Amino acid sequence: MMCSSLGKEKEIIASELARKVQQLNGMEELLADLKAQNEILLAKVQACASEHKERRSAGETQGNAALQERNKELSEQLLKSLDGYRSLKRKYRDVQEENNGLHNTIAEIEGQVKVQLESIWELKARMNEQTVNHEEEISAIEHALEDLTFKTSQHREKKDCSRP
């Protein structure tokens, strides 16, 4: 029964990892969109600048202030987009680090579960022996499984605290 609950914990952690991967893919798409938007804004700024040069060379000074205002607006949009890109990049790195930590924890828990399963199998094999103190071995296995439950609950609490 305890082993099945560990299997469920492993499935929960695996589903969380899959969710994190989907989030990372979404962020990558957002980053690509922001890069494309930045390129479009840069092209618009360059087009406005070249248009401004053409008007200035032609002697047209009307609308000069409007072009300068438009250039300023586009520059501000570009800066906002760059800030958003940097923010998403930081979030992406944070999620990657969290994902790596979860992978490491899962690997550690899997190893500990395997050790405990082997202990259970060995205990079953020796159940007929009268000289073995079964209570001590069962207590040791119970303690190890409680440690695993504690570790998984810590990760669950971290996940719950990180959600807004």
Side-chain angles (χ1 to χ4, degrees):
M1 199 162 103
M2 291 177 148
C3 293
S4 69
S5 69
L6 287 174
K8 289 177 184 176
E9 288 292 330
K10 184 179 175 183
E11 289 175 14
I12 291 169
I13 291 172
S15 67
E16 281 298 316
L17 288 174
R19 186 179 63 81
K20 294 290 182 181
V21 167
Q22 288 177 342
Q23 286 178 344
L24 288 174
N25 290 338
M27 282 190 212
E28 287 175 352
E29 290 177 14
L30 286 173
L31 289 174
D33 291 343
L34 285 173
K35 284 182 182 179
Q37 183 182 8
N38 285 343
E39 290 174 4
I40 291 170
L41 290 174
L42 180 62
K44 287 181 180 180
V45 168
Q46 289 172 343
C48 285
S50 65
E51 184 180 325
H52 180 71
K53 285 182 182 179
E54 289 174 7
R55 285 187 181 178
R56 184 182 276 175
S57 65
E60 296 180 16
T61 56
Q62 295 176 347
N64 196 15
L67 284 176
Q68 286 178 348
E69 184 62 31
R70 176 77 175 143
N71 192 13
K72 182 180 176 182
E73 290 172 8
L74 290 173
S75 296
E76 288 173 3
Q77 282 182 333
L78 181 61
L79 290 175
K80 287 178 185 177
S81 294
L82 285 173
D83 288 341
Y85 169 76
R86 289 182 186 123
S87 173
L88 284 175
K89 194 173 181 180
R90 275 192 300 274
K91 287 180 185 177
Y92 175 76
R93 281 191 213 127
D94 292 344
V95 169
Q96 262 186 331
E97 288 174 11
E98 182 181 353
N99 193 11
N100 289 337
L102 287 174
H103 279 289
N104 293 338
T105 301
I106 287 174
E108 181 183 325
I109 290 173
E110 283 177 344
Q112 291 175 355
V113 167
K114 286 178 185 177
V115 168
Q116 295 310 312
L117 283 174
E118 289 172 5
S119 297
I120 291 171
W121 294 331
E122 288 175 14
L123 180 62
K124 278 184 178 179
R126 294 183 300 174
M127 281 299 258
N128 294 331
E129 297 177 19
Q130 295 296 328
T131 59
V132 177
N133 187 352
H134 298 299
E135 285 187 32
E136 287 180 14
E137 290 188 32
I138 290 172
S139 178
I141 292 170
E142 182 180 16
H143 179 69
L145 292 174
E146 286 172 352
D147 286 344
L148 290 174
T149 302
F150 178 72
K151 284 182 182 179
T152 56
S153 67
Q154 281 181 323
H155 280 284
R156 189 175 292 126
E157 287 173 9
K158 284 181 187 176
K159 180 183 76 174
D160 291 342
C161 289
S162 66
R163 287 186 180 167

